[in-house]
Amino acid sequence: MPGRRGSPPYSGHHRGCVPSAPACRVWDPQSRPDQEPPRPSPLLCRDMALQNALYTGDLARLLELFPPHSTADLLLESRAAEPRWSSHQRGLWSLTYEEELTTPLHVAASRGHADVVQLLLRRRAKPDSAPGGRTALHEACAAGHTACVHALLVAGADPDIPDQDGKHPLHLCQGVGTLECAELLLRFGAKVDGRSEEEEETPLHVAARLGHVELADLLLRRGADPDARDAEGWTPLLAACDTRCTPATDPEATAARCLQLCRLLLSAGADPDAADQDRRRPLHLACLRGYGAIVELLLSCGVSVNAMDYGGHTALHCALQGPPLALAQSPEHAVRALLNHGAVRIWPGALPKVLERWCTSPRTIEVLMNTYSVMKLPEEAAGLVPPEILQKHHRFYSSLFALVRQPRSLQHLSRCVLRAHLEACLPHALPRLPLPPRLLRYLQLDFEDVLY
């Protein structure tokens, strides 16, 4: 990654390169015979032919520009990707492209030109040079260029050196070659639980947050701690449960990766009920994201279904406060799982707010209403649902509003009584009852898309 200008340009001789002032000291082998000659400082190079050859990976041209006994220990000027506000005079600010410094080795490594990387290393490029805070190894790992990573490590690059943000190369592994890059770093001595300086994240935290199942599996097999905590008390399992869907991602694929990660971490011994500094647990986060399958997985591990975070929210509250994107995850499954594991029902006075927020998910409304013996909605509740939603789910909402302040069916009342009787052991007792499958599903709040 290029860095700000600040490192001094260096003296020497190369086509298109500018020596610094004052000039470097000249080493006199007679004056200090017991010491190594001082290493010449890198040159600030503005040769556009050289830069074009680096960016395009033109090895033939670079062999001409870097003949034997020349040096590739150079600095290149580049511009920041985006303009930044800067002040050249007091009170006068302007948007300018800030000049930055990088090296030929950084350019080649970030673009995957492995043969160029090897040439530059042979021409005395420093593998751990970091004029902008990142080394060429950081750049190669961030782009997933395995061959470049291997060449740099063989040349002596430090596999655990932090960048300007305190992240190690293992934190940055991305792209097609993620696994291969991580395996190389570990083989050359990178710490599997090395922490970033500010966030105190381990590489396993990063893999879990990004939904990278294969990388997490590799790190766990190499001894990564599944319960390591970062600066905010998050474990990798918390990070996995908080993976967000975006409009640009496939919600089903994201949910499937998160489920795989959670299973992997739990099988490695991760605490399913570990809370962060705000007392949020994996169950809270999975509910907030609407990941019903993960909710069921965590509940099967015996987590505390009614535990509260510092804000006083239970997992059920989180499930009903999720973002609109959680609708793609069918939140009704998470809500039903919580209620079947003894979650305390929400205050009836909050039901109109839930109806207004989740009216496009009638099954979420259904499963909530089927835990009450009386439909506790105001008569004007029908006005909370937009007309187009009423029309789309006409059968369900007709049955819902017909029951406002009306008695429920005897069958439903019997269900409520039996569930209340088994409340303390509901998730374990219901499956053991000698009941027909259809009746058992009814007691477990199976969806019917209508209310009685």
Side-chain angles (χ1 to χ4, degrees):
M1 175 180 174
R4 293 184 180 179
R5 290 188 64 177
S7 302
Y10 297 101
S11 63
H13 300 282
H14 191 280
R15 177 177 174 269
C17 300
V18 182
S20 66
C24 252
R25 295 172 297 168
V26 178
W27 174 66
D28 182 357
Q30 302 300 323
S31 62
R32 304 292 295 274
D34 58 324
Q35 291 190 2
E36 291 290 325
R39 190 177 176 92
S41 302
L43 301 165
L44 179 58
C45 181
R46 297 193 178 104
D47 185 348
M48 293 307 299
L50 172 60
Q51 295 195 32
N52 288 336
L54 285 168
Y55 279 91
T56 59
D58 188 345
L59 182 61
R61 180 65 175 137
L62 289 168
L63 284 168
E64 296 176 4
L65 293 170
F66 289 110
H69 308 299
S70 64
T71 180
D73 192 11
L74 307 175
L75 290 174
L76 306 175
E77 285 184 321
S78 64
R79 282 188 170 187
E82 298 179 355
R84 303 171 185 172
W85 286 102
S86 58
S87 176
H88 300 288
Q89 300 177 8
R90 181 174 297 181
L92 181 62
W93 289 80
S94 62
L95 271 176
T96 60
Y97 286 92
E98 187 174 358
E99 295 294 329
E100 299 181 335
L101 295 177
T102 186
T103 72
L105 194 61
H106 284 74
V107 173
S110 65
R111 282 157 179 76
H113 303 318
D115 48 358
V116 175
V117 168
Q118 292 171 348
L119 169 65
L120 297 172
L121 290 168
R122 292 197 301 270
R123 298 296 187 263
R124 295 181 291 161
K126 297 177 183 178
D128 285 335
S129 176
R134 267 192 180 185
T135 67
L137 183 60
H138 289 112
E139 299 288 357
C141 289
H145 297 313
T146 308
C148 294
V149 170
H150 183 262
L152 290 163
L153 290 169
V154 169
D158 185 347
D160 267 330
I161 190 170
D163 67 4
Q164 78 277 10
D165 296 321
K167 292 181 172 59
H168 299 181
L170 198 52
H171 289 98
L172 301 176
C173 289
Q174 294 184 41
V176 177
T178 297
L179 280 181
E180 293 80 3
C181 291
E183 287 176 342
L184 283 169
L185 290 168
L186 293 169
R187 189 193 312 166
F188 278 81
K191 297 176 182 177
V192 71
D193 280 329
R195 293 179 178 271
S196 58
E197 291 180 2
E198 185 174 348
E199 300 88 354
E200 297 182 22
E201 283 187 323
T202 67
L204 187 58
H205 281 98
V206 178
R209 176 162 44 82
L210 297 178
H212 203 310
V213 181
E214 295 80 7
L215 180 56
D217 182 47
L218 170 65
L219 295 170
L220 288 168
R221 285 189 281 110
R222 296 298 181 89
D225 182 1
D227 279 330
R229 291 183 178 271
D230 65 11
E232 296 184 357
W234 278 48
T235 65
L237 183 60
L238 282 162
C241 291
D242 191 48
T243 303
R244 293 167 170 80
C245 291
T246 67
T249 59
D250 181 355
E252 292 185 5
T254 301
R257 285 198 309 274
C258 293
L259 179 60
Q260 283 183 277
L261 271 167
C262 291
R263 284 175 175 163
L264 182 65
L265 291 164
L266 290 169
S267 65
D271 182 355
D273 221 10
D276 68 1
Q277 293 178 353
D278 294 325
R279 293 188 180 176
R280 290 176 297 183
R281 302 166 189 257
L283 188 62
H284 289 105
L285 298 176
C287 287
L288 192 62
R289 302 298 160 210
Y291 295 146
I294 297 178
V295 169
E296 292 179 0
L297 174 64
L298 294 169
L299 290 171
S300 69
C301 295
V303 297
S304 306
V305 69
N306 288 312
M308 293 185 181
D309 62 14
Y310 267 133
H313 300 113
T314 66
L316 184 57
H317 292 137
C318 292
L320 297 174
Q321 293 173 357
L325 283 173
L327 275 172
Q329 307 300 330
S330 301
E332 66 270 15
H333 296 291
V335 173
R336 182 177 65 177
L338 292 168
L339 292 169
N340 282 334
H341 279 78
V344 175
R345 295 175 301 174
I346 63 172
W347 175 56
L351 288 174
K353 292 184 179 180
V354 175
L355 174 63
E356 185 176 14
R357 181 179 179 85
W358 293 102
C359 60
T360 55
S361 176
R363 284 189 165 186
T364 300
I365 308 301
E366 175 189 348
V367 73
L368 284 170
M369 296 304 180
N370 277 338
T371 60
Y372 298 92
S373 57
V374 177
M375 193 68 65
K376 299 183 179 182
L377 282 175
E379 293 183 357
E380 60 272 15
L384 299 174
V385 184
E388 62 273 15
I389 303 299
L390 287 173
Q391 184 177 1
K392 181 177 181 180
H393 305 285
H394 175 73
R395 180 169 179 259
F396 171 77
Y397 282 113
S398 294
S399 68
L400 169 66
F401 297 124
L403 288 172
V404 173
R405 302 191 183 280
Q406 298 295 321
R408 303 291 297 268
S409 68
L410 181 60
Q411 179 176 302
H412 171 71
L413 294 175
S414 301
R415 172 168 61 182
C416 290
V417 170
L418 183 55
R419 285 177 62 89
H421 180 70
L422 299 174
E423 184 175 7
C425 54
L426 191 64
H428 309 291
L430 273 182
R432 296 182 182 180
L433 294 177
L435 299 172
R438 184 176 179 182
L439 180 55
L440 181 60
R441 290 195 300 271
Y442 180 77
L443 291 173
Q444 292 174 327
L445 306 177
D446 196 21
F447 303 112
E448 298 180 86
D449 300 317
V450 68
L451 292 170
Y452 299 103

mmCIF file of all heavy atoms in Angstrom, residues 305 335-345 370-371 415-433 440 442-445:
data_model
loop_
_atom_site.group_PDB
_atom_site.id
_atom_site.type_symbol
_atom_site.label_atom_id
_atom_site.label_comp_id
_atom_site.label_asym_id
_atom_site.label_seq_id
_atom_site.Cartn_x
_atom_site.Cartn_y
_atom_site.Cartn_z
ATOM 1 N N VAL A 305 -31.882 -18.884 26.675
ATOM 2 C CA VAL A 305 -32.804 -18.296 25.703
ATOM 3 C C VAL A 305 -33.312 -16.933 26.159
ATOM 4 O O VAL A 305 -33.640 -16.079 25.334
ATOM 5 C CB VAL A 305 -33.986 -19.252 25.430
ATOM 6 C CG1 VAL A 305 -34.893 -19.379 26.647
ATOM 7 C CG2 VAL A 305 -34.787 -18.802 24.211
ATOM 8 N N VAL A 335 -38.083 -16.991 15.363
ATOM 9 C CA VAL A 335 -39.065 -16.664 16.402
ATOM 10 C C VAL A 335 -39.725 -17.932 16.931
ATOM 11 O O VAL A 335 -39.888 -18.109 18.151
ATOM 12 C CB VAL A 335 -40.109 -15.679 15.840
ATOM 13 C CG1 VAL A 335 -41.232 -15.461 16.847
ATOM 14 C CG2 VAL A 335 -39.447 -14.350 15.488
ATOM 15 N N ARG A 336 -40.105 -18.842 16.051
ATOM 16 C CA ARG A 336 -40.739 -20.093 16.495
ATOM 17 C C ARG A 336 -39.781 -20.924 17.333
ATOM 18 O O ARG A 336 -40.171 -21.482 18.368
ATOM 19 C CB ARG A 336 -41.203 -20.906 15.287
ATOM 20 C CG ARG A 336 -41.910 -22.203 15.684
ATOM 21 C CD ARG A 336 -42.435 -22.957 14.495
ATOM 22 N NE ARG A 336 -41.350 -23.430 13.636
ATOM 23 C CZ ARG A 336 -41.538 -24.173 12.542
ATOM 24 N NH1 ARG A 336 -42.776 -24.506 12.173
ATOM 25 N NH2 ARG A 336 -40.520 -24.567 11.803
ATOM 26 N N ALA A 337 -38.516 -21.016 16.916
ATOM 27 C CA ALA A 337 -37.538 -21.793 17.680
ATOM 28 C C ALA A 337 -37.380 -21.223 19.084
ATOM 29 O O ALA A 337 -37.303 -21.981 20.071
ATOM 30 C CB ALA A 337 -36.199 -21.812 16.951
ATOM 31 N N LEU A 338 -37.324 -19.904 19.200
ATOM 32 C CA LEU A 338 -37.182 -19.274 20.520
ATOM 33 C C LEU A 338 -38.396 -19.580 21.400
ATOM 34 O O LEU A 338 -38.258 -19.938 22.576
ATOM 35 C CB LEU A 338 -37.014 -17.763 20.355
ATOM 36 C CG LEU A 338 -35.710 -17.297 19.706
ATOM 37 C CD1 LEU A 338 -35.790 -15.823 19.345
ATOM 38 C CD2 LEU A 338 -34.524 -17.551 20.633
ATOM 39 N N LEU A 339 -39.578 -19.429 20.845
ATOM 40 C CA LEU A 339 -40.790 -19.679 21.628
ATOM 41 C C LEU A 339 -40.905 -21.143 22.025
ATOM 42 O O LEU A 339 -41.403 -21.463 23.122
ATOM 43 C CB LEU A 339 -42.015 -19.242 20.825
ATOM 44 C CG LEU A 339 -42.143 -17.729 20.603
ATOM 45 C CD1 LEU A 339 -43.228 -17.418 19.584
ATOM 46 C CD2 LEU A 339 -42.427 -17.013 21.928
ATOM 47 N N ASN A 340 -40.437 -22.046 21.172
ATOM 48 C CA ASN A 340 -40.481 -23.476 21.514
ATOM 49 C C ASN A 340 -39.396 -23.867 22.503
ATOM 50 O O ASN A 340 -39.388 -25.002 22.996
ATOM 51 C CB ASN A 340 -40.363 -24.319 20.247
ATOM 52 C CG ASN A 340 -41.664 -24.385 19.472
ATOM 53 O OD1 ASN A 340 -42.747 -24.246 20.047
ATOM 54 N ND2 ASN A 340 -41.566 -24.584 18.167
ATOM 55 N N HIS A 341 -38.464 -22.972 22.780
ATOM 56 C CA HIS A 341 -37.437 -23.240 23.790
ATOM 57 C C HIS A 341 -37.637 -22.387 25.033
ATOM 58 O O HIS A 341 -36.709 -22.191 25.825
ATOM 59 C CB HIS A 341 -36.040 -23.001 23.211
ATOM 60 C CG HIS A 341 -35.532 -24.150 22.398
ATOM 61 N ND1 HIS A 341 -35.948 -24.382 21.112
ATOM 62 C CD2 HIS A 341 -34.654 -25.146 22.697
ATOM 63 C CE1 HIS A 341 -35.337 -25.465 20.638
ATOM 64 N NE2 HIS A 341 -34.563 -25.940 21.577
ATOM 65 N N GLY A 342 -38.851 -21.885 25.218
ATOM 66 C CA GLY A 342 -39.187 -21.214 26.469
ATOM 67 C C GLY A 342 -38.929 -19.726 26.498
ATOM 68 O O GLY A 342 -38.838 -19.149 27.593
ATOM 69 N N ALA A 343 -38.801 -19.074 25.368
ATOM 70 C CA ALA A 343 -38.605 -17.625 25.373
ATOM 71 C C ALA A 343 -39.821 -16.931 25.980
ATOM 72 O O ALA A 343 -40.968 -17.302 25.706
ATOM 73 C CB ALA A 343 -38.371 -17.118 23.955
ATOM 74 N N VAL A 344 -39.573 -15.946 26.818
ATOM 75 C CA VAL A 344 -40.661 -15.165 27.412
ATOM 76 C C VAL A 344 -41.342 -14.345 26.331
ATOM 77 O O VAL A 344 -40.679 -13.668 25.543
ATOM 78 C CB VAL A 344 -40.108 -14.242 28.525
ATOM 79 C CG1 VAL A 344 -41.216 -13.344 29.071
ATOM 80 C CG2 VAL A 344 -39.497 -15.065 29.644
ATOM 81 N N ARG A 345 -42.673 -14.432 26.283
ATOM 82 C CA ARG A 345 -43.415 -13.709 25.253
ATOM 83 C C ARG A 345 -43.270 -12.202 25.440
ATOM 84 O O ARG A 345 -43.013 -11.720 26.540
ATOM 85 C CB ARG A 345 -44.891 -14.095 25.305
ATOM 86 C CG ARG A 345 -45.178 -15.538 24.972
ATOM 87 C CD ARG A 345 -46.641 -15.858 25.166
ATOM 88 N NE ARG A 345 -47.082 -15.605 26.539
ATOM 89 C CZ ARG A 345 -48.345 -15.688 26.954
ATOM 90 N NH1 ARG A 345 -49.300 -15.996 26.085
ATOM 91 N NH2 ARG A 345 -48.675 -15.459 28.206
ATOM 92 N N ASN A 370 -50.089 -17.057 18.103
ATOM 93 C CA ASN A 370 -50.490 -18.393 18.550
ATOM 94 C C ASN A 370 -49.928 -18.768 19.919
ATOM 95 O O ASN A 370 -50.124 -19.892 20.375
ATOM 96 C CB ASN A 370 -50.081 -19.439 17.512
ATOM 97 C CG ASN A 370 -51.101 -19.541 16.397
ATOM 98 O OD1 ASN A 370 -52.264 -19.165 16.560
ATOM 99 N ND2 ASN A 370 -50.670 -20.048 15.242
ATOM 100 N N THR A 371 -49.226 -17.828 20.563
ATOM 101 C CA THR A 371 -48.799 -18.088 21.950
ATOM 102 C C THR A 371 -49.734 -17.406 22.946
ATOM 103 O O THR A 371 -49.529 -17.512 24.160
ATOM 104 C CB THR A 371 -47.365 -17.575 22.180
ATOM 105 O OG1 THR A 371 -47.308 -16.163 21.944
ATOM 106 C CG2 THR A 371 -46.384 -18.288 21.270
ATOM 107 N N ARG A 415 -54.057 -26.074 23.159
ATOM 108 C CA ARG A 415 -52.620 -25.965 22.884
ATOM 109 C C ARG A 415 -51.954 -25.020 23.881
ATOM 110 O O ARG A 415 -50.874 -25.312 24.408
ATOM 111 C CB ARG A 415 -52.395 -25.474 21.457
ATOM 112 C CG ARG A 415 -50.953 -25.148 21.149
ATOM 113 C CD ARG A 415 -50.708 -24.936 19.663
ATOM 114 N NE ARG A 415 -51.486 -23.827 19.112
ATOM 115 C CZ ARG A 415 -51.467 -23.473 17.828
ATOM 116 N NH1 ARG A 415 -50.702 -24.138 16.963
ATOM 117 N NH2 ARG A 415 -52.202 -22.481 17.386
ATOM 118 N N CYS A 416 -52.582 -23.882 24.137
ATOM 119 C CA CYS A 416 -52.011 -22.902 25.056
ATOM 120 C C CYS A 416 -51.879 -23.488 26.461
ATOM 121 O O CYS A 416 -50.858 -23.275 27.135
ATOM 122 C CB CYS A 416 -52.888 -21.643 25.102
ATOM 123 S SG CYS A 416 -52.838 -20.655 23.590
ATOM 124 N N VAL A 417 -52.896 -24.234 26.904
ATOM 125 C CA VAL A 417 -52.853 -24.817 28.244
ATOM 126 C C VAL A 417 -51.724 -25.833 28.346
ATOM 127 O O VAL A 417 -50.965 -25.859 29.326
ATOM 128 C CB VAL A 417 -54.219 -25.460 28.594
ATOM 129 C CG1 VAL A 417 -54.113 -26.280 29.880
ATOM 130 C CG2 VAL A 417 -55.297 -24.397 28.743
ATOM 131 N N LEU A 418 -51.594 -26.703 27.348
ATOM 132 C CA LEU A 418 -50.564 -27.739 27.392
ATOM 133 C C LEU A 418 -49.170 -27.117 27.333
ATOM 134 O O LEU A 418 -48.269 -27.525 28.080
ATOM 135 C CB LEU A 418 -50.760 -28.713 26.233
ATOM 136 C CG LEU A 418 -49.796 -29.904 26.184
ATOM 137 C CD1 LEU A 418 -49.822 -30.699 27.493
ATOM 138 C CD2 LEU A 418 -50.128 -30.825 25.012
ATOM 139 N N ARG A 419 -48.979 -26.118 26.508
ATOM 140 C CA ARG A 419 -47.664 -25.469 26.427
ATOM 141 C C ARG A 419 -47.328 -24.759 27.733
ATOM 142 O O ARG A 419 -46.180 -24.773 28.184
ATOM 143 C CB ARG A 419 -47.642 -24.469 25.259
ATOM 144 C CG ARG A 419 -47.557 -25.132 23.889
ATOM 145 C CD ARG A 419 -47.616 -24.071 22.788
ATOM 146 N NE ARG A 419 -46.485 -23.148 22.869
ATOM 147 C CZ ARG A 419 -45.327 -23.332 22.271
ATOM 148 N NH1 ARG A 419 -45.115 -24.434 21.541
ATOM 149 N NH2 ARG A 419 -44.361 -22.441 22.386
ATOM 150 N N ALA A 420 -48.322 -24.141 28.356
ATOM 151 C CA ALA A 420 -48.084 -23.469 29.646
ATOM 152 C C ALA A 420 -47.726 -24.491 30.727
ATOM 153 O O ALA A 420 -46.868 -24.227 31.579
ATOM 154 C CB ALA A 420 -49.322 -22.677 30.057
ATOM 155 N N HIS A 421 -48.349 -25.672 30.677
ATOM 156 C CA HIS A 421 -48.067 -26.711 31.664
ATOM 157 C C HIS A 421 -46.638 -27.243 31.511
ATOM 158 O O HIS A 421 -45.986 -27.585 32.514
ATOM 159 C CB HIS A 421 -49.090 -27.857 31.506
ATOM 160 C CG HIS A 421 -48.875 -28.974 32.471
ATOM 161 N ND1 HIS A 421 -49.126 -28.849 33.830
ATOM 162 C CD2 HIS A 421 -48.425 -30.253 32.287
ATOM 163 C CE1 HIS A 421 -48.842 -29.994 34.434
ATOM 164 N NE2 HIS A 421 -48.410 -30.856 33.522
ATOM 165 N N LEU A 422 -46.153 -27.313 30.277
ATOM 166 C CA LEU A 422 -44.813 -27.859 30.019
ATOM 167 C C LEU A 422 -43.753 -26.767 29.870
ATOM 168 O O LEU A 422 -42.633 -27.049 29.425
ATOM 169 C CB LEU A 422 -44.843 -28.699 28.734
ATOM 170 C CG LEU A 422 -45.763 -29.917 28.729
ATOM 171 C CD1 LEU A 422 -45.780 -30.543 27.346
ATOM 172 C CD2 LEU A 422 -45.311 -30.935 29.772
ATOM 173 N N GLU A 423 -44.089 -25.547 30.275
ATOM 174 C CA GLU A 423 -43.226 -24.404 29.967
ATOM 175 C C GLU A 423 -41.780 -24.603 30.396
ATOM 176 O O GLU A 423 -40.844 -24.281 29.658
ATOM 177 C CB GLU A 423 -43.783 -23.149 30.649
ATOM 178 C CG GLU A 423 -43.020 -21.887 30.306
ATOM 179 C CD GLU A 423 -43.681 -20.662 30.893
ATOM 180 O OE1 GLU A 423 -44.652 -20.810 31.676
ATOM 181 O OE2 GLU A 423 -43.231 -19.547 30.579
ATOM 182 N N ALA A 424 -41.560 -25.169 31.590
ATOM 183 C CA ALA A 424 -40.195 -25.301 32.110
ATOM 184 C C ALA A 424 -39.355 -26.285 31.302
ATOM 185 O O ALA A 424 -38.129 -26.183 31.286
ATOM 186 C CB ALA A 424 -40.225 -25.712 33.576
ATOM 187 N N CYS A 425 -40.002 -27.248 30.661
ATOM 188 C CA CYS A 425 -39.242 -28.271 29.925
ATOM 189 C C CYS A 425 -39.799 -28.467 28.520
ATOM 190 O O CYS A 425 -39.721 -29.570 27.955
ATOM 191 C CB CYS A 425 -39.276 -29.597 30.689
ATOM 192 S SG CYS A 425 -40.939 -30.175 31.104
ATOM 193 N N LEU A 426 -40.345 -27.395 27.955
ATOM 194 C CA LEU A 426 -41.045 -27.479 26.679
ATOM 195 C C LEU A 426 -40.214 -28.112 25.564
ATOM 196 O O LEU A 426 -40.683 -29.047 24.894
ATOM 197 C CB LEU A 426 -41.515 -26.080 26.267
ATOM 198 C CG LEU A 426 -42.481 -26.008 25.096
ATOM 199 C CD1 LEU A 426 -43.792 -26.694 25.426
ATOM 200 C CD2 LEU A 426 -42.746 -24.549 24.731
ATOM 201 N N PRO A 427 -38.962 -27.669 25.303
ATOM 202 C CA PRO A 427 -38.243 -28.227 24.143
ATOM 203 C C PRO A 427 -37.887 -29.695 24.297
ATOM 204 O O PRO A 427 -37.729 -30.400 23.290
ATOM 205 C CB PRO A 427 -36.968 -27.362 24.076
ATOM 206 C CG PRO A 427 -36.794 -26.838 25.449
ATOM 207 C CD PRO A 427 -38.176 -26.650 25.998
ATOM 208 N N HIS A 428 -37.800 -30.179 25.536
ATOM 209 C CA HIS A 428 -37.435 -31.582 25.752
ATOM 210 C C HIS A 428 -38.663 -32.484 25.905
ATOM 211 O O HIS A 428 -38.644 -33.640 25.494
ATOM 212 C CB HIS A 428 -36.559 -31.697 27.010
ATOM 213 C CG HIS A 428 -35.399 -30.769 27.021
ATOM 214 N ND1 HIS A 428 -34.324 -30.898 26.156
ATOM 215 C CD2 HIS A 428 -35.149 -29.660 27.776
ATOM 216 C CE1 HIS A 428 -33.456 -29.927 26.384
ATOM 217 N NE2 HIS A 428 -33.934 -29.165 27.355
ATOM 218 N N ALA A 429 -39.730 -31.925 26.480
ATOM 219 C CA ALA A 429 -40.900 -32.750 26.759
ATOM 220 C C ALA A 429 -41.769 -32.990 25.532
ATOM 221 O O ALA A 429 -42.248 -34.117 25.305
ATOM 222 C CB ALA A 429 -41.727 -32.100 27.867
ATOM 223 N N LEU A 430 -41.976 -31.947 24.719
ATOM 224 C CA LEU A 430 -42.885 -32.093 23.581
ATOM 225 C C LEU A 430 -42.496 -33.233 22.641
ATOM 226 O O LEU A 430 -43.353 -34.050 22.274
ATOM 227 C CB LEU A 430 -42.973 -30.782 22.798
ATOM 228 C CG LEU A 430 -44.010 -29.759 23.284
ATOM 229 C CD1 LEU A 430 -44.014 -28.536 22.389
ATOM 230 C CD2 LEU A 430 -45.406 -30.366 23.337
ATOM 231 N N PRO A 431 -41.227 -33.349 22.218
ATOM 232 C CA PRO A 431 -40.882 -34.422 21.281
ATOM 233 C C PRO A 431 -41.061 -35.827 21.874
ATOM 234 O O PRO A 431 -41.160 -36.803 21.122
ATOM 235 C CB PRO A 431 -39.398 -34.161 20.964
ATOM 236 C CG PRO A 431 -39.183 -32.720 21.285
ATOM 237 C CD PRO A 431 -40.076 -32.449 22.452
ATOM 238 N N ARG A 432 -41.129 -35.931 23.199
ATOM 239 C CA ARG A 432 -41.245 -37.243 23.837
ATOM 240 C C ARG A 432 -42.696 -37.680 24.033
ATOM 241 O O ARG A 432 -42.955 -38.833 24.416
ATOM 242 C CB ARG A 432 -40.550 -37.215 25.205
ATOM 243 C CG ARG A 432 -39.051 -36.966 25.106
ATOM 244 C CD ARG A 432 -38.409 -36.993 26.470
ATOM 245 N NE ARG A 432 -36.972 -36.716 26.393
ATOM 246 C CZ ARG A 432 -36.156 -36.675 27.435
ATOM 247 N NH1 ARG A 432 -36.652 -36.882 28.652
ATOM 248 N NH2 ARG A 432 -34.874 -36.420 27.274
ATOM 249 N N LEU A 433 -43.617 -36.782 23.798
ATOM 250 C CA LEU A 433 -45.020 -37.156 23.965
ATOM 251 C C LEU A 433 -45.444 -38.122 22.863
ATOM 252 O O LEU A 433 -45.105 -37.929 21.689
ATOM 253 C CB LEU A 433 -45.901 -35.908 23.915
ATOM 254 C CG LEU A 433 -45.733 -34.905 25.065
ATOM 255 C CD1 LEU A 433 -46.615 -33.685 24.843
ATOM 256 C CD2 LEU A 433 -46.069 -35.556 26.402
ATOM 257 N N LEU A 440 -48.216 -33.138 16.999
ATOM 258 C CA LEU A 440 -46.976 -32.642 17.599
ATOM 259 C C LEU A 440 -46.532 -31.353 16.912
ATOM 260 O O LEU A 440 -46.126 -30.390 17.585
ATOM 261 C CB LEU A 440 -45.882 -33.705 17.496
ATOM 262 C CG LEU A 440 -44.527 -33.336 18.099
ATOM 263 C CD1 LEU A 440 -44.661 -33.040 19.583
ATOM 264 C CD2 LEU A 440 -43.521 -34.458 17.875
ATOM 265 N N TYR A 442 -48.447 -29.239 15.492
ATOM 266 C CA TYR A 442 -49.392 -28.200 15.903
ATOM 267 C C TYR A 442 -48.983 -27.610 17.248
ATOM 268 O O TYR A 442 -49.004 -26.382 17.444
ATOM 269 C CB TYR A 442 -50.801 -28.781 15.975
ATOM 270 C CG TYR A 442 -51.856 -27.785 16.403
ATOM 271 C CD1 TYR A 442 -52.338 -26.828 15.510
ATOM 272 C CD2 TYR A 442 -52.356 -27.798 17.704
ATOM 273 C CE1 TYR A 442 -53.299 -25.915 15.904
ATOM 274 C CE2 TYR A 442 -53.329 -26.881 18.104
ATOM 275 C CZ TYR A 442 -53.783 -25.944 17.202
ATOM 276 O OH TYR A 442 -54.746 -25.023 17.598
ATOM 277 N N LEU A 443 -48.623 -28.491 18.185
ATOM 278 C CA LEU A 443 -48.188 -28.009 19.493
ATOM 279 C C LEU A 443 -46.897 -27.199 19.396
ATOM 280 O O LEU A 443 -46.642 -26.314 20.221
ATOM 281 C CB LEU A 443 -47.998 -29.190 20.448
ATOM 282 C CG LEU A 443 -49.266 -29.931 20.877
ATOM 283 C CD1 LEU A 443 -48.912 -31.173 21.681
ATOM 284 C CD2 LEU A 443 -50.158 -29.000 21.705
ATOM 285 N N GLN A 444 -46.075 -27.487 18.392
ATOM 286 C CA GLN A 444 -44.814 -26.762 18.201
ATOM 287 C C GLN A 444 -44.981 -25.546 17.295
ATOM 288 O O GLN A 444 -44.009 -25.040 16.749
ATOM 289 C CB GLN A 444 -43.768 -27.709 17.622
ATOM 290 C CG GLN A 444 -43.346 -28.807 18.598
ATOM 291 C CD GLN A 444 -42.414 -29.825 17.963
ATOM 292 O OE1 GLN A 444 -42.536 -30.121 16.764
ATOM 293 N NE2 GLN A 444 -41.502 -30.369 18.753
ATOM 294 N N LEU A 445 -46.223 -25.081 17.194
ATOM 295 C CA LEU A 445 -46.539 -23.841 16.466
ATOM 296 C C LEU A 445 -46.215 -23.931 14.976
ATOM 297 O O LEU A 445 -45.669 -23.000 14.372
ATOM 298 C CB LEU A 445 -45.800 -22.646 17.086
ATOM 299 C CG LEU A 445 -46.009 -22.438 18.597
ATOM 300 C CD1 LEU A 445 -45.171 -21.268 19.103
ATOM 301 C CD2 LEU A 445 -47.485 -22.207 18.909
#
